[in-house]
Amino acid sequence: MADFFLKWLPSLLIIFGWMIILYNANRTSKRSEVRNLSDKCIEKIEKLHEDLLNNEPHEEINIYKFEASIIAPITLIEIKDRQLERKTGTKFLKPLDISRVKSLSKDTNEKEEICDTLLDMIESIESSFDKLYPCKYSFSSMYKLHTFLSISGILLIYFILTKLLVT
């Protein structure tokens, strides 16, 4: 029994190690995709916010052009939010904020309120991402120490088991 175990233990450890590597690679890839989608969403919101601020208050704005200039980007933002929700299972934007921007877009005098809501939407996206992917160990010495201790523990168990089974 000991010979059988000693013969297959290194192979099992290699398979276990590769499973951990694949899990981490998939997790990192998913985090990167979610960050990319949320950044695109934030860029669209910031562009809409900037466009609203750049319109001069004394300019006579056609209400239909004003509404269309808001509804089109908000629709794209909703699509990105649905993609984020499908990928993560978490809603990044509050439906109330989206409907609020759409309803306020019917009045050109509500630009300030729309801008405030857009900033709230950016904050919502960032806080949702931070809740989903808290950076507990990222780029810190604790992460390196944690990884080193984990690998050392697995190797220690391996050497103890082989020593016990050989003697």
Side-chain angles (χ1 to χ4, degrees):
M1 177 69 177
D3 287 339
F4 178 78
F5 186 71
L6 285 174
K7 181 179 175 183
W8 290 101
L9 184 61
S11 300
L12 292 174
L13 284 175
I14 289 171
I15 291 170
F16 180 70
W18 276 107
M19 286 172 47
I20 291 172
I21 288 170
L22 287 174
Y23 170 77
N24 284 336
N26 285 338
R27 189 165 180 248
T28 302
S29 174
K30 182 178 176 182
R31 183 184 192 281
S32 176
E33 288 176 27
V34 170
R35 181 76 255 175
N36 188 23
L37 279 171
S38 60
D39 284 345
K40 285 181 181 178
C41 201
I42 289 172
E43 285 175 16
K44 291 195 180 307
I45 295 171
E46 286 174 342
K47 173 129 176 46
L48 177 59
H49 184 265
E50 189 177 302
D51 290 346
L52 286 172
L53 290 178
N54 287 339
N55 287 339
E56 295 295 325
H58 64 273
E59 285 182 24
E60 191 63 35
I61 302 172
N62 182 347
I63 188 65
Y64 299 113
K65 284 184 180 178
F66 180 74
E67 186 176 8
S69 71
I70 293 173
I71 296 297
I74 286 294
T75 304
L76 292 174
I77 292 165
E78 277 184 296
I79 292 169
K80 295 284 182 204
D81 184 47
R82 277 189 237 123
Q83 289 174 338
L84 283 166
E85 185 178 11
R86 269 188 252 122
K87 189 159 279 307
T88 63
T90 302
K91 197 91 167 120
F92 278 62
L93 291 173
K94 299 173 192 161
L96 183 64
D97 286 343
I98 294 171
S99 63
R100 181 177 171 88
V101 170
K102 285 181 177 180
S103 67
L104 290 172
S105 69
K106 294 176 182 9
D107 186 3
T108 57
N109 296 325
E110 298 291 343
K111 281 185 0 180
E112 275 187 38
E113 194 65 34
I114 293 170
C115 288
D116 289 344
T117 306
L118 290 173
L119 293 176
D120 290 342
M121 290 168 72
I122 292 173
E123 186 178 331
S124 175
I125 292 170
E126 288 294 344
S127 66
S128 295
F129 183 83
D130 289 341
K131 284 179 190 172
L132 198 59
Y133 297 104
C135 54
K136 200 162 57 170
Y137 296 115
S138 67
F139 305 114
S140 71
S141 60
M142 288 301 293
Y143 176 74
K144 294 173 187 171
L145 179 65
H146 182 263
T147 304
F148 171 76
L149 290 175
S150 299
I151 293 170
S152 298
I154 291 171
L155 289 174
L156 181 65
I157 291 170
Y158 169 73
F159 290 127
I160 289 172
L161 284 174
T162 54
K163 183 71 173 172
L164 288 175
L165 291 174
V166 168
T167 54

